[in-house]
């Protein structure tokens, strides 16, 4: 029997300093060298949150244009070795991304949309030791949590996005595509705004 838990997709996160410290290759190397099983589950090859997911180092806190690439191509090396637990695709109606959640920190997973342009999947895997910690996302975030930020395609209707955790193990996000009439209306508003700007 399949169980599903719907996640709230939030757009109200106004934290100004989150993800301001980028994960570097040397910071990642130091983190992985600690040989902590939780760290390997979160950031190891094939994980949605690994900086090596796309074949070369890419900081997961930077927005990646996921749907500009075919998953079969980008993940071919990982899939041939059975290491990938991530997939994404698009249909005529929506964009979809699916990923296994690591055992640690999966209960804290959150989904945010940033200014209608970036979807952010993040969570905490280790609580800070300080009694009144600052936002864990504003410093060396990988020491306490995980993130993957993805650019949304222009025709993605983020206002109708849905996120689910299935069987307490798999994250699935579906983002409907704007209909043709939505796109025309949006373009019309852009043209009207441009006309109004020129008139001022």
């Amino acid at each position: 029997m399949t169980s599903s838990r719907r996640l709230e997709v939030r757009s109200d996160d106004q934290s100004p300093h989150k993800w301001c410290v980028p994960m570097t290759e040397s910071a990642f190397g130091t983190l992985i060298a600690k040989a902590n099983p939780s760290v390997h589950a979160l950031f190891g090859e094939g994980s949605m949150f690994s900086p090596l997911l796309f074949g070369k180092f890419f900081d997961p806190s930077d927005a990646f244009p996921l749907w500009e690439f075919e998953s079969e191509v980008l993940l071919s090396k990982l899939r041939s070795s059975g290491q990938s637990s991530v997939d994404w695709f698009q249909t005529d109606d929506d964009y979809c991304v699916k990923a296994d959640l690591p055992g640690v920190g999966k209960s804290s997973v959150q989904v945010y949309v940033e200014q209608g342009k970036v979807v952010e999947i993040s969570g905490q895997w280790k609580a800070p030791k300080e009694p009144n910690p600052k936002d864990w996302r504003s410093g060396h975030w990988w020491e306490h949590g995980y993130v993957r930020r993805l650019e949304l395609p222009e025709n993605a209707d983020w206002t109708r996005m849905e996120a689910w955790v299935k069987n307490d193990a798999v994250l699935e996000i579906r983002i409907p595509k704007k209909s043709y009439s939505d796109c025309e209306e949006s373009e019309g508003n852009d043209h009207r705004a441009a006309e109004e700007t020129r008139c001022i």
Side-chain angles (χ1 to χ4, degrees), residues 145-161:
Y146 55 90
V147 66
R148 173 61 70 189
R149 298 178 71 236
L150 305 169
E151 287 181 15
L152 288 170
E154 284 187 30
N155 67 336
D157 185 356
W158 67 270
T159 62
R160 298 184 323 167
M161 181 186 309

Side-chain angles (χ1 to χ4, degrees), residues 69-123:
F69 300 90
E70 295 291 328
S71 64
E72 293 83 24
V73 174
L74 213 52
L75 300 177
S76 62
K77 189 183 288 186
L78 288 171
R79 285 190 176 156
S80 66
S81 62
Q83 290 181 309
S84 178
S85 60
V86 179
D87 193 18
W88 67 90
F89 55 89
Q90 61 177 301
T91 67
D92 291 341
D93 300 320
D94 54 20
Y95 296 96
C96 183
V97 61
K98 295 180 182 183
D100 287 356
L101 290 172
V104 63
K106 65 183 173 185
S107 62
S108 71
V109 69
Q110 296 182 323
V111 179
Y112 289 98
V113 175
E114 187 178 294
Q115 298 177 351
K117 297 180 187 225
V118 174
V119 63
E120 173 186 302
I121 306 155
S122 64

Side-chain angles (χ1 to χ4, degrees), residues 2-153:
T2 303
S3 67
S4 295
R5 175 173 53 101
R6 188 171 184 166
L7 299 177
E8 179 183 4
V9 178
R10 302 179 62 182
S11 61
D12 59 351
D13 186 2
Q14 302 299 319
S15 304
H17 301 294
K18 66 179 182 172
W19 322 126
C20 64
V21 178
M23 176 188 267
T24 62
E25 286 188 67
S26 63
F28 176 66
T30 301
L31 183 70
I32 289 293
K34 292 179 181 175
N36 178 326
S38 297
V39 167
H40 282 273
L42 278 167
F43 300 109
E45 282 193 76
S47 167
M48 172 71 148
F49 308 103
S50 172
L52 300 174
L53 178 63
F54 306 120
K56 62 180 184 174
F57 188 88
F58 189 90
D59 179 2
S61 69
D62 282 339
F64 186 80
L66 187 72
W67 286 278
E68 291 181 15
F69 300 90
E70 295 291 328
S71 64
E72 293 83 24
V73 174
L74 213 52
L75 300 177
S76 62
K77 189 183 288 186
L78 288 171
R79 285 190 176 156
S80 66
S81 62
Q83 290 181 309
S84 178
S85 60
V86 179
D87 193 18
W88 67 90
F89 55 89
Q90 61 177 301
T91 67
D92 291 341
D93 300 320
D94 54 20
Y95 296 96
C96 183
V97 61
K98 295 180 182 183
D100 287 356
L101 290 172
V104 63
K106 65 183 173 185
S107 62
S108 71
V109 69
Q110 296 182 323
V111 179
Y112 289 98
V113 175
E114 187 178 294
Q115 298 177 351
K117 297 180 187 225
V118 174
V119 63
E120 173 186 302
I121 306 155
S122 64
Q124 213 171 342
W125 67 274
K126 184 171 90 174
K129 292 178 182 171
E130 308 90 66
N132 294 312
K134 61 182 181 180
D135 187 340
W136 65 270
R137 301 170 300 175
S138 64
H140 293 170
W141 52 266
W142 53 89
E143 294 175 358
H144 302 285
Y146 55 90
V147 66
R148 173 61 70 189
R149 298 178 71 236
L150 305 169
E151 287 181 15
L152 288 170

Side-chain angles (χ1 to χ4, degrees), residues 159-190:
T159 62
R160 298 184 323 167
M161 181 186 309
E162 292 185 353
W164 299 86
V165 174
K166 298 193 174 182
N167 293 330
D168 204 31
V170 178
L171 174 69
E172 182 175 327
I173 297 176
R174 289 198 174 271
I175 309 144
K177 292 180 178 179
K178 292 178 183 174
S179 67
Y180 182 72
S181 60
D182 290 341
C183 291
E184 279 187 334
E185 185 176 310
S186 175
E187 286 176 12
N189 289 339
D190 291 345

